[in-house]
Amino acid sequence: MATQDFDRKKLNLENDFDSLVEKSLGAYIYILAEPAQQNSPYPPKPFYIGKGGADGKGNDRLVDHFVEARKLLDVETSDAKIKKIHTIWNKGEEVDWYVLKCVNPDSDSAFAELTESSLIQYSNMFLTDQLTNKSKLKSNNFKNRNEVLASCAKKLLFSDLEEKYINRPIFLFNIKKSYKKTKDLEKSLAISWLINDENRQLKGALAVGLIDSISHCALDIESWCKSDSGNGDRYEIEPGTDNNDALLYKNFGGILEHVKNFWGYGARGGGVIFKVDHEGRIFFLYGLGKGKPNGIKLNNFNK
């Protein structure tokens, strides 16, 4: 999303692919694309396609393009790819990227076939008139940035929680459906929840948006305001400005396991609320149900 006040050096500030991502991806093909346009029926338009290696060979190739672009921010360059990245950054937007897992190919021919497959599939995603190729070869589904990181998510441990998260009410919301509509993680987390007066009064609360138990967005809850949707009984989050990246791409499945019935039936249009104390015990403030044990050690969760 474009903004009037932004730092280009902080755009596409991706972490290097660690060993977990490397193991998950193997050899892969990636696409750099223009930012997604809200309400557009077409996926982002690609401007660069490349391949990353396996076993640590060129594994960070995708990330390297952004590192190079940051180094050349104030340098005149003839590289069309870097120029394109700079053009996007100059608008306060980020480059979209997608990855196709290729499994380790055993020959140049196999890798070429996978490359062809990926180009066919991605082209057919955004072309009004589909390609005339009769065969889709070994085409697989592309994964976007969120899906790549989610596929490698580790379960949430007590060691992941910084001091600022201890004894704070943490709301968990299922944003899967709303994200499909909005294509905006923060918006899908902030809008339209059935939250009662007592829970709206919780101090220092935090909201975490989950898709299939994986956290994709986390916002401080500055306050709640009436939502335009519903019958006047729904509320939106007015977010704070704190950075909560430490909670992103973590698997909350172990926590949800203890409230799976409540969560599975839609959490009454709202979310699950819990807090963790200094001893790593988790206490459910909403969603657990009467008569069920509370104060379970976070690291003892099964998932």
Side-chain angles (χ1 to χ4, degrees):
M1 181 180 296
T3 176
Q4 296 299 316
D5 183 18
F6 58 87
D7 184 349
R8 293 181 299 168
K9 292 183 179 180
K10 293 183 179 180
L11 296 173
N12 284 116
L13 200 61
E14 316 289 358
N15 293 325
D16 287 346
F17 286 178
D18 61 18
S19 58
L20 189 62
V21 178
E22 178 181 330
K23 182 178 180 181
S24 174
L25 289 182
Y28 66 91
I29 292 167
Y30 62 91
I31 288 177
L32 304 183
E34 296 178 358
Q37 299 301 310
Q38 197 167 14
N39 300 322
S40 172
Y42 304 113
K45 183 179 179 181
F47 65 86
Y48 186 83
I49 297 173
K51 58 183 174 67
D55 300 323
K57 299 176 181 178
N59 201 60
D60 288 331
R61 183 59 183 151
L62 188 158
V63 180
D64 289 343
H65 295 305
F66 302 131
V67 174
E68 181 184 9
R70 271 188 288 277
K71 290 179 179 178
L72 298 175
L73 270 175
D74 300 315
V75 177
E76 190 70 28
T77 176
S78 59
D79 188 313
K81 172 195 64 196
I82 299 299
K83 281 185 175 181
K84 186 66 175 180
I85 294 174
H86 287 171
T87 297
I88 293 170
W89 286 357
N90 288 339
K91 297 176 183 177
E93 299 178 323
E94 291 195 322
V95 174
D96 271 356
W97 56 263
Y98 298 81
V99 161
L100 175 72
K101 178 178 177 178
C102 290
V103 186
N104 296 329
D106 55 10
S107 70
D108 290 341
S109 177
F111 195 81
E113 185 172 321
L114 285 167
T115 303
E116 183 181 9
S117 297
S118 68
L119 295 178
I120 290 172
Q121 186 208 349
Y122 193 81
S123 296
N124 283 332
M125 285 173 63
F126 68 89
L127 289 177
T128 303
D129 297 322
Q130 299 286 280
L131 296 176
T132 57
N133 300 67
K134 293 182 179 180
S135 172
K136 297 298 185 292
L137 300 174
K138 296 179 180 179
S139 176
N140 296 304
N141 289 327
F142 270 94
K143 295 181 181 294
N144 61 27
R145 175 183 186 275
N146 295 324
E147 292 168 333
V148 169
L149 298 178
S151 69
C152 307
K154 301 175 183 178
K155 74 174 183 178
L156 181 71
L157 301 175
F158 181 60
S159 57
D160 295 319
L161 297 176
E162 301 173 0
E163 177 65 25
K164 65 179 181 178
Y165 299 124
I166 301 301
N167 284 321
R168 288 182 64 183
I170 299 177
F171 287 70
L172 298 181
F173 292 111
N174 185 351
I175 63 171
K176 188 172 185 177
K177 290 183 178 178
S178 57
Y179 180 63
K180 285 184 178 179
K181 295 179 180 178
T182 65
K183 302 300 181 183
D184 184 314
L185 288 167
E186 289 195 7
K187 185 175 181 180
S188 64
L189 175 56
I191 59 174
S192 195
W193 302 107
L194 285 171
I195 308 296
N196 63 36
D197 183 66
E198 180 182 356
N199 290 335
R200 295 198 309 275
Q201 300 304 316
L202 291 171
K203 302 297 183 183
L206 178 83
V208 178
L210 305 182
I211 298 176
D212 296 331
S213 81
I214 307 300
S215 55
H216 287 258
C217 185
L219 300 172
D220 285 341
I221 301 176
E222 189 73 23
S223 61
W224 294 91
C225 66
K226 283 278 189 179
S227 173
D228 293 332
S229 61
N231 298 315
D233 54 356
R234 290 182 174 270
Y235 291 83
E236 296 183 6
I237 296 171
E238 291 284 351
T241 58
D242 202 5
N243 184 300
N244 297 295
D245 287 353
L247 294 180
L248 298 184
Y249 305 110
K250 296 294 188 296
N251 189 336
F252 282 72
I255 293 175
L256 296 178
E257 179 68 20
H258 294 264
V259 291
K260 59 183 178 182
N261 290 334
F262 182 78
W263 182 263
Y265 283 100
R268 298 178 183 172
V272 168
I273 311 173
F274 72 95
K275 68 177 181 179
V276 179
D277 69 10
H278 282 93
E279 296 181 15
R281 294 176 301 180
I282 183 169
F283 295 86
F284 289 96
L285 307 180
Y286 189 71
L288 184 62
K290 296 180 180 180
K292 293 187 176 181
N294 228 333
I296 305 166
K297 282 281 188 178
L298 179 59
N299 288 4
N300 290 338
F301 284 167
N302 295 325
K303 293 185 180 181

